[in-house]
Amino acid sequence: MLDSIKDFASWFFVTGDPLIYGADVSIVLATIAIFAVLTYFKKWGWLWRNWLTTVDHKKIGIMYILAALLMLFRGGVDAIMMRTQIALPGIKFLEPEHYNQVFTTHGTIMILFMAMPLMFGLFNIIIPLQIGARDVAYPFLNSVSFWLFFVGAMLFNLSFVIGGSPDAGWTSYPPLSELMHNPGVGENFYIWGIQISGIGSLATGINFIVTLIKMRAPGMTLMKMPMFSWSVFATCIIIILAFPILTVTLALLFLDRFAGGHFFTLDMGGNPMMYINLFWMWGHPEVYIVVLPAFGIYSEVVATFSRKSIFGYKSMVFAMLVISIVSFFTWLHHFFTMGSGADINAFFAITTMIIAIPTGVKIFNWLFTMYRGRIRFELPMMWTIAFIPCFVVGGMTGVMLAVAPADFQFHNSYFLIAHFHQVLIGGVVFGYFAGLYYWWPKMFGFKLNHKLGVWAFWFWNIGFYVCFMPQYSLGLMGMTRRISEYTWDTGWAPLNFISTIGALMMGIGFLFQVAQILYSTFKHKKVGNDPWDGRTLEWTTASPAPEYNFAITPHVHAVDDWWATKERRAKGIADDPLPPIEPIHMPKNSIIPPIMGLAWFVAGFGFVFDWWWFYIPGMLGVAICMIARSFSYDTDYYIPVDEVKRTEEAIRGSV
Amino acid sequence: MDKKPRSLRTLITVVVTLVTLGVLIWGMFFTADYLVLNPKGPVGQSEKELIIITTLLCCVVIVPVLILTAVIVWRYRDKPNRKAAYSPNWHDSKVLETVWWGVPIIIIIALAVVTARYTYALEPSKPIDAEQKPVTVQVVSLDWKWLFLYPDENIATVNTLTIPEGVPVRFEITADAPMNSFWIPQLGGQIYAMSGMSMTLYLKADEVGTYFGTGANFSGEHFAQMRFDVNAVSQADYDSWVQKVKGNTGSTITEASYADLAKPGVMGETEYSSFPEGLYSKIAYKYVVDGENADSEDSTDGTKQEGMGSSLPGFSSGQVTSGLSASQPVQ
């Protein structure tokens, strides 16, 4: 009996590596600490009522961002572990098996559990404020989306200590990811972590496109929407069209592994190439999903900190919509080397290059927004200015990779690694950082410390070039991605060593940001509604905004309506008289989303280990939550006029 | 607290900058060969040309943009008594917009034309023009080693490849393991090695030498060990090498020993004096279900193929078909 328990435990828990024991201990300690603090300060009720069950878009956004920053830490530690292993030949820091797991989780986490939630966090906090709405179109669904993302991410991360991490790369190509070559449970964690959070992502896409179409303030026609809202609109189009492909693809892969299917197996007529096509039909649009909102952020930041209207508004909107459509016709450039023939390769090479046109136009429009502006070098603007040269060079190497026959030499080499990190860090991460710094006062009512932010900025930026520029060279020297070791005779050692130094510098940059957030949380000055001299509606309400966002729904007359209002006031023209405050219709908190998330977690965990006594109750729990929701009628309430007036006075009094 | 004299600080800055630059330049240019930019065969040579042409075309846009960025950011920074103009509501110019829609479009058209031409010229399954008849080498990607079969000579090697210099080599590539990619940077670009597929890649070495070869697509635990040397030797040396390998009859591949070879594991360089006839096609088509695709037009040469070629004709117009239904029967 004891022996069988021992056997089970040594299979169930990941063993044999001091790093993992260290992680086990810190997870247990952190959990105990969290429980102790919450109990000591009697904060359980507060946590449950104000956060876990909330349907308030601003709070959900903050939870997304917290989770994303945690995941950025995990993914970053993965990155530094990899760079340490290949800093020099012969380092025995990670075994090949462990190295393979680390690059798999690094990629998956950074794309799906870092970039996506950070993006959704910014959507949540800003979109309703920016279009003058009280919440998103479906607040309850929004909460469900968050919890699905969260349990998906947790399930995926659990694989580090239980069962074993996936190790077939973040792309998880079959047949390597099939049972035949990968019998462990790691791939199941990959599939279910992404599946569960993917349902949430799809729902968020639907939620925000409906919000943008139906809930704009009166007067805000589509062509008066702020650029960030437009970028979210374009992104949501891609999410709605692309995520179902991922869900179906992973479902088929799961059927192969779980139910003896043969969609992507080698035998019985399966075809792994089909998976690769399907994966990238989602995967390529996915990179535009994460980069378009960053483009939106840059547009807002550039206009605000140049004190100038965005240049070529119509062009910008058109360019983003073109990108969102064309992004669906480029997927094959991820495998020009699969032998599709010259006709097909030429077609996809050219469609890929076409994307460079609208992207280039956007760069010119940002530049000419700054032209004849007054540029203030605040943190959001610094990140935006750093983005332009970085993304331009990354875009250029992207076009070089798109040239199909040249790609035969670049493919799967460090040249490719350098390229996509340059566009994903230089484009997406820089953009989200700019967004975080820009909207931080709107979320919390204070700005983040400038000095620490400048240190973080330079560590990140110098570290980035030190890390990734040598990798272009390494690619041309023949170094391929995903190798866990190499020998001295290759001559790759010096540049790899330099690259590792760069990675560590970015790590230090991240630590500066953590310090910046902690320091500013305890030591800050409160700011008013409009700390940056902004242009759009979110800067007309309090920082942080009250739960109902706007006591009186604004009426919009122009693009950058708030800026126009300020100009009118400067000329001494009085505002339109405000209508009286009316009772405000709000959604009620719900306990169903976190419970449903928990049920999904149980089900996902059961599917990972193929334990029916886990997944059947889990799926039943999901079904019960859905039924319970469809029979709950008490889902909304009104905030009475008196209370709104009291809140508004308190806000005015405190600033 | 930092009371160092100014000249010392300048000195430190200069020294640190110079050392950093020195290390960087040394690392970039004196530690390893840029294999892709130092090709030794016609395919690699054309690919290098293409890389240079496309880089230059891109630079036509990139360099002005970078300069423009620096100038604009510097000139329009906010400071008291700035002389540069400030026009907060200027946000539209049809002329300018036409320029920056137009210029990228023109550049991309030029790039597209170049790319399309080279894509057809460098289609991997297209034979290389040469007087000599190509040598055929069949490549099998295994867990975690490369098996090379020489059907004309009936010899085989693992993790080492010897080819005659100046003669085109017709590589037929498959896998008996997860997908990999076959890459010899100095001879030319890579192509995937996949189970149930036979891919064709023509390469040629113009100089005698030893070249770096590697697997380029992650295939599992010891993927990093999938490196091999490519020895390009003169025709005479090649012939005597073949004789030497043939003569060493102590080491052969049989059906049974192939099964061992295919098991996951790492091994060094090995040579075999013979291998069973039809081994390659047996490996490449081992997953074909009997009777399936029997009447497929792709199977005219008697070999059968799996999956995509016949079930999804749209995807199979190039390599896959030319590899499988071409008139040369696989051995």
Side-chain angles (χ1 to χ4, degrees):
Chain A
M1 177 67 188
L2 194 66
D3 278 350
S4 63
I5 290 176
K6 252 192 199 163
D7 283 351
F8 172 78
S10 69
W11 164 79
F12 186 69
F13 295 105
V14 179
T15 53
D17 192 314
L19 283 171
I20 297 199
Y21 294 132
D24 291 344
V25 172
S26 51
I27 289 170
V28 171
L29 287 181
T31 313
I32 292 172
I34 291 169
F35 271 76
V37 167
L38 286 172
T39 311
Y40 184 79
F41 290 103
K42 300 200 171 64
K43 287 289 190 189
W44 283 105
W46 165 83
L47 184 70
W48 180 254
R49 279 189 304 274
N50 283 357
W51 292 94
L52 304 187
T53 59
T54 188
V55 294
D56 182 341
H57 67 97
K58 299 177 287 295
K59 287 179 176 165
I60 289 174
I62 288 170
M63 291 195 291
Y64 264 121
I65 288 170
L66 271 178
L69 292 178
L70 264 180
M71 290 293 105
L72 177 60
F73 174 73
R74 159 91 208 259
V77 170
D78 281 348
I80 286 171
M81 281 162 59
M82 278 189 280
R83 285 294 345 154
T84 307
Q85 166 64 23
I86 56 173
L88 289 172
I91 293 179
K92 294 281 175 221
F93 176 60
L94 299 175
E95 293 300 312
E97 185 196 2
H98 195 179
Y99 184 87
N100 299 343
Q101 295 174 347
V102 170
F103 72 65
T104 301
T105 53
H106 168 76
T108 312
I109 285 176
M110 285 303 200
I111 290 284
L112 287 150
F113 302 126
M114 189 283 284
M116 293 293 284
L118 197 49
M119 172 180 98
F120 287 150
L122 292 170
F123 283 18
N124 262 290
I125 290 164
I126 297 310
I127 289 300
L129 291 174
Q130 203 168 46
I131 61 172
R134 294 247 155 81
D135 206 314
V136 295
Y138 309 116
F140 173 86
L141 182 68
N142 198 24
S143 175
V144 171
S145 298
F146 169 76
W147 284 105
L148 292 188
F149 146 72
F150 187 75
V151 299
M154 289 305 112
L155 186 65
F156 184 83
N157 278 277
L158 198 62
S159 68
F160 187 61
V161 289
I162 289 178
S165 300
D167 60 358
W170 86 276
T171 50
S172 206
Y173 280 1
L176 187 58
S177 57
E178 291 280 4
L179 277 183
M180 187 180 187
H181 296 285
N182 214 324
V185 295
E187 279 307 306
N188 297 344
F189 274 114
Y190 168 91
I191 291 171
W192 281 97
I194 297 178
Q195 281 301 52
I196 294 173
S197 69
I199 301 168
S201 302
L202 180 59
T204 306
I206 294 169
N207 209 339
F208 277 87
I209 211 161
V210 177
T211 305
L212 285 166
I213 291 174
K214 299 292 288 182
M215 300 191 51
R216 295 188 314 276
M220 184 184 275
T221 57
L222 279 176
M223 290 312 278
K224 287 197 178 98
M225 267 201 316
M227 287 309 299
F228 180 66
S229 300
W230 260 116
S231 74
V232 173
F233 187 89
T235 284
C236 288
I237 293 175
I238 314 184
I239 291 178
I240 291 169
L241 294 174
F243 262 84
I245 307 177
L246 177 71
T247 303
V248 168
T249 311
L250 291 182
L252 297 180
L253 182 62
F254 180 69
L255 284 178
D256 279 7
R257 293 178 60 88
F258 179 77
H262 289 280
F263 293 102
F264 309 126
T265 57
L266 291 171
D267 54 348
M268 307 291 282
N271 195 327
M273 292 196 292
M274 203 60 199
Y275 175 95
I276 298 172
N277 274 279
L278 287 168
F279 184 86
W280 288 112
M281 281 182 197
W282 162 78
H284 198 78
E286 165 67 14
V287 300
Y288 293 99
I289 289 174
V290 291
V291 87
L292 283 178
F295 288 174
I297 294 167
Y298 296 129
S299 304
E300 300 289 339
V301 167
V302 137
T304 301
F305 292 93
S306 306
R307 293 178 199 271
K308 198 160 159 280
S309 308
I310 191 81
F311 197 90
Y313 176 93
K314 284 182 193 157
S315 245
M316 291 294 245
V317 171
F318 180 68
M320 276 196 295
L321 293 177
V322 169
I323 291 173
S324 72
I325 304 297
V326 181
S327 71
F328 280 95
F329 299 93
T330 66
W331 79 87
L332 194 128
H333 69 221
H334 293 271
F335 44 92
F336 281 139
T337 51
M338 208 159 76
S340 308
D343 295 341
I344 289 173
N345 280 0
F347 174 83
F348 281 94
I350 291 167
T351 53
T352 306
M353 291 172 186
I354 286 173
I355 292 223
I357 300 169
T359 316
V361 168
K362 293 186 79 67
I363 300 269
F364 282 114
N365 278 331
W366 287 317
L367 285 179
F368 275 75
T369 305
M370 291 192 271
Y371 178 77
R372 293 198 188 165
R374 275 190 189 150
I375 305 173
R376 288 175 291 161
F377 294 97
E378 298 279 1
L379 289 173
M381 191 60 177
M382 289 170 70
W383 286 97
T384 303
I385 292 171
F387 145 80
I388 291 176
C390 195
F391 197 78
V392 163
V393 174
M396 170 176 134
T397 55
V399 172
M400 290 167 69
L401 281 158
V403 178
D407 181 65
F408 295 159
Q409 288 283 35
F410 295 137
H411 186 63
N412 274 346
S413 77
Y414 262 77
F415 191 92
L416 168 75
I417 303 295
H419 157 72
F420 74 69
H421 281 93
Q422 187 155 20
V423 284
L424 284 175
I425 295 179
V428 178
V429 176
F430 284 16
Y432 294 174
F433 283 166
L436 273 182
Y437 285 121
Y438 182 54
W439 283 309
W440 191 275
K442 191 49 60 185
M443 293 181 229
F444 298 106
F446 60 89
K447 285 185 191 176
L448 286 170
N449 182 284
H450 186 78
K451 202 168 182 187
L452 285 166
V454 171
W455 277 100
F457 173 83
W458 286 110
F459 265 102
W460 264 102
N461 273 272
I462 298 172
F464 172 82
Y465 288 99
V466 174
C467 184
F468 291 105
M469 292 303 113
Q471 295 188 5
Y472 282 116
S473 294
L474 285 169
L476 297 175
M477 291 172 178
M479 181 167 168
T480 54
R481 70 193 295 195
R482 294 175 173 170
I483 52 168
S484 55
E485 52 198 328
Y486 55 95
T487 49
W488 285 103
D489 62 330
T490 53
W492 302 333
L495 287 180
N496 270 308
F497 191 76
I498 294 172
S499 178
T500 301
I501 293 173
L504 290 171
M505 289 175 75
M506 285 190 276
I508 295 171
F510 177 75
L511 293 181
F512 266 109
Q513 289 176 307
V514 174
Q516 182 190 22
I517 291 173
L518 292 177
Y519 180 85
S520 314
T521 304
F522 294 108
K523 208 170 165 178
H524 59 251
K525 266 193 272 180
K526 286 256 173 240
V527 295
N529 293 2
D530 187 15
W532 305 115
D533 199 3
R535 314 178 66 83
T536 39
L537 287 183
E538 73 268 29
W539 304 110
T540 61
T541 183
S543 312
E547 60 172 325
Y548 48 78
N549 293 352
F550 300 94
I552 296 163
T553 300
H555 276 253
V556 176
H557 304 287
V559 183
D560 292 350
D561 193 64
W562 173 230
W563 184 260
T565 305
K566 286 191 282 191
E567 280 189 328
R568 270 202 313 276
R569 285 181 189 169
K571 284 181 198 151
I573 303 171
D575 293 350
D576 295 342
L578 291 173
I581 291 176
E582 285 170 17
I584 295 174
H585 187 203
M586 295 297 290
K588 265 189 181 166
N589 285 1
S590 171
I591 61 167
I592 293 176
I595 292 175
M596 192 162 155
L598 190 69
W600 268 111
F601 185 85
V602 171
F605 194 77
F607 281 121
V608 166
F609 285 96
D610 194 4
W611 291 342
W612 62 267
W613 39 278
F614 248 98
Y615 62 73
I616 289 180
M619 293 312 291
L620 270 178
V622 172
I624 290 168
C625 285
M626 288 170 153
I627 293 167
R629 173 64 183 179
S630 53
F631 285 100
S632 54
Y633 300 104
D634 180 24
T635 58
D636 54 349
Y637 69 107
Y638 281 87
I639 306 178
V641 174
D642 288 351
E643 198 185 322
V644 175
K645 282 184 173 158
R646 267 200 310 277
T647 314
E648 289 293 304
E649 269 160 30
I651 291 168
R652 236 165 284 145
S654 74
V655 175
Chain B
M1 41 186 179
D2 193 9
K3 289 280 183 213
K4 282 176 206 134
R6 206 180 170 77
S7 57
L8 183 65
R9 225 193 277 175
T10 316
L11 187 72
I12 292 173
T13 316
V14 169
V15 168
V16 168
T17 313
L18 283 181
V19 168
T20 314
L21 276 177
V23 167
L24 207 64
I25 290 170
W26 171 72
M28 298 262 293
F29 299 109
F30 297 100
T31 54
D33 204 359
Y34 283 76
L35 301 181
V36 169
L37 303 180
N38 187 15
K40 300 292 184 193
V43 177
Q45 188 60 41
S46 308
E47 283 162 351
K48 179 189 164 187
E49 279 164 21
L50 181 60
I51 288 170
I52 291 171
I53 296 170
T54 50
T55 310
L56 291 178
L57 272 174
C58 288
C59 284
V60 172
V61 184
I62 299 310
V63 173
V65 168
L66 291 177
I67 295 170
L68 195 64
T69 309
V71 170
I72 288 178
V73 169
W74 182 251
R75 187 169 158 76
Y76 295 100
R77 72 196 189 285
D78 193 18
K79 57 165 190 183
N81 305 322
R82 193 188 72 177
K83 290 201 186 74
Y86 171 56
S87 21
N89 290 319
W90 181 67
H91 57 76
D92 197 18
S93 161
K94 291 282 169 289
V95 178
L96 284 173
E97 294 241 40
T98 313
V99 170
W100 59 66
W101 277 96
V103 173
I105 288 176
I106 291 166
I107 299 283
I108 294 298
I109 288 173
L111 264 172
V113 171
V114 172
T115 302
R117 294 175 70 113
Y118 272 87
T119 304
Y120 285 94
L122 289 172
E123 163 58 31
S125 59
K126 206 181 115 188
I128 294 172
D129 289 331
E131 286 161 20
Q132 297 93 333
K133 193 176 157 293
V135 173
T136 299
V137 178
Q138 295 166 333
V139 181
V140 185
S141 166
L142 298 173
D143 267 344
W144 291 280
K145 56 196 97 72
W146 290 98
L147 171 64
F148 300 106
L149 305 170
Y150 296 70
D152 304 332
E153 328 288 357
N154 190 30
I155 57 171
T157 58
V158 166
N159 288 342
T160 173
L161 174 64
T162 302
I163 54 170
E165 159 255 353
V167 181
V169 184
R170 176 189 157 91
F171 290 103
E172 291 167 0
I173 301 164
T174 191
D176 198 1
M179 181 172 117
N180 208 314
S181 191
F182 175 76
W183 190 27
I184 308 169
Q186 284 189 288
L187 299 189
Q190 63 193 285
I191 197 109
Y192 283 163
M194 295 179 282
S195 296
M197 286 289 150
S198 181
M199 309 283 270
T200 309
L201 171 67
Y202 281 90
L203 295 175
K204 186 174 131 204
D206 284 336
E207 275 177 42
V208 170
T210 302
Y211 305 121
F212 171 80
T214 184
N217 193 77
F218 178 65
S219 63
E221 188 174 355
H222 292 290
F223 161 69
Q225 308 300 325
M226 294 193 66
R227 283 174 48 191
F228 54 94
D229 278 340
V230 183
N231 304 302
V233 297
S234 67
Q235 185 69 49
D237 286 350
Y238 179 73
D239 294 336
S240 64
W241 174 77
V242 169
Q243 290 313 315
K244 191 199 86 188
V245 177
K246 267 186 181 308
N248 181 14
T249 50
S251 149
T252 60
I253 295 179
T254 61
E255 300 266 344
S257 72
Y258 172 76
D260 276 342
L261 192 63
K263 281 183 188 147
V266 177
M267 63 186 279
E269 299 180 358
T270 319
E271 294 171 341
Y272 301 95
S273 62
S274 71
F275 64 89
E277 202 181 315
L279 179 61
Y280 180 81
S281 58
K282 204 172 274 175
I283 296 167
Y285 309 119
K286 73 189 258 189
Y287 294 109
V288 176
V289 181
D290 252 5
E292 194 189 337
N293 301 339
D295 53 357
S296 151
E297 55 179 340
D298 286 338
S299 317
T300 45
D301 62 356
T303 56
K304 290 176 199 148
Q305 73 175 98
E306 182 210 0
M308 187 169 273
S310 50
S311 59
L312 269 176
F315 285 104
S316 68
S317 60
Q319 263 288 342
V320 176
T321 318
S322 65
L324 290 172
S325 67
S327 50
Q328 291 129 308
V330 268
Q331 189 139 4

